[in-house]
Amino acid sequence: MAVGLPENVFMTTVNAAASWCRKNSLWPMPFATACCGIELMATASSRYDLARFGAEVMRFSPRQCDLMIVAGRVVMKMMPVLQRIWLQMPEPKWCISMGACACTGWVFDTYAVVQGVDRFIPVDLYVPGCPPRPEQLLRGLIELQDKIMKTGTLNGTEFGKRTVAEGPPTMEFEEIRRSQESQLLTQADEK
Ligand code: SF4
């Protein structure tokens, strides 16, 4: 004979419990380099209240963060810094690319501006707009929470697919400088 559970007992899996805890306690690492950063600040303010989603603990300490939010355009010189901060963040970690500049480079189609941060670090969620409004970032956060709940596993197997970003691997500053110089030389030769 089947025995029903009492009303005050519920069952779940360890994976689901871990994902639930993780999605409701995201600690953002703000990497705000331009105007989108102001919208990010507004999102954390009392009017929009990021704290409602458990993600208000912004700390400039990568080792305590698990959500990178890249807000604004990133220039090539900043990319090694961004990569280093990303690598310093412990797993499990996620990344939101906020705004057209971070996602694609936007109107700054120059050799000095990174044409999409996903060429260098893995991005889980893109928030479009110039700038995206705080509501859009909140929507993005909710989508990310859904993703964590759907795909999260205790041992992080979901990250196996994205350990390598689509673009070039971590570059040292010298490599970037050399590649920029060679680009400039090529352009000068063509003229
Ligand atoms: S997307 Fe627009 S608002 Fe955001 S950093 Fe770029 S120019 Fe500024």
Side-chain angles (χ1 to χ4, degrees):
M1 189 181 82
V3 179
L5 284 174
E7 280 181 7
N8 58 350
V9 172
F10 74 97
M11 296 184 72
T12 183
T13 61
V14 179
N15 277 344
S19 298
W20 185 83
C21 295
R22 286 170 179 164
K23 81 168 186 148
N24 287 305
S25 61
L26 290 165
W27 283 29
M29 170 75 219
F31 194 86
T33 53
C35 6
C36 275
I38 306 299
E39 298 296 317
L40 175 57
M41 290 178 221
T43 313
S45 69
S46 54
R47 185 178 177 89
Y48 297 99
D49 199 9
L50 194 60
R52 288 177 294 155
F53 305 93
E56 80 280 17
V57 188
M58 296 219 191
R59 294 283 181 273
F60 292 91
S61 168
R63 290 181 181 85
Q64 296 170 348
C65 296
D66 57 5
L67 173 60
M68 166 73 79
I69 301 180
V70 184
R73 57 193 163 273
V74 180
V75 294
M76 289 301 278
K77 277 189 178 179
M78 291 295 289
M79 185 42 77
V81 180
L82 175 61
Q83 285 179 315
R84 178 162 300 190
I85 293 173
W86 172 255
L87 292 175
Q88 284 176 339
M89 289 167 59
E91 292 281 7
K93 59 188 173 185
W94 298 270
C95 177
I96 290 180
S97 172
M98 177 182 177
C101 285
C103 295
T104 65
W106 189 211
V107 290
F108 304 99
D109 187 9
T110 75
Y111 68 89
V113 176
V114 173
Q115 303 297 297
V117 293
D118 60 356
R119 300 181 64 208
F120 295 90
I121 62 171
V123 172
D124 292 284
L125 199 122
Y126 301 84
V127 180
C130 175
R133 283 192 50 82
E135 293 93 333
Q136 279 175 270
L137 183 58
L138 289 176
R139 180 71 228 174
L141 189 80
I142 294 168
E143 298 272 344
L144 182 65
Q145 287 181 322
D146 287 347
K147 179 178 175 178
I148 293 170
M149 202 63 211
K150 280 181 194 150
T151 62
T153 55
L154 196 60
N155 57 7
T157 48
E158 71 272 25
F159 298 120
K161 296 176 196 152
R162 63 144 220 207
T163 45
V164 179
E166 285 174 13
T170 308
M171 292 164 78
E172 294 298 331
F173 178 72
E174 271 304 300
E175 287 178 66
I176 293 175
R177 189 178 60 75
R178 277 200 297 274
S179 94
Q180 285 176 347
E181 280 176 358
S182 67
Q183 269 182 15
L184 286 173
L185 287 173
T186 313
Q187 283 169 3
D189 284 347
E190 285 170 358
K191 281 179 188 169

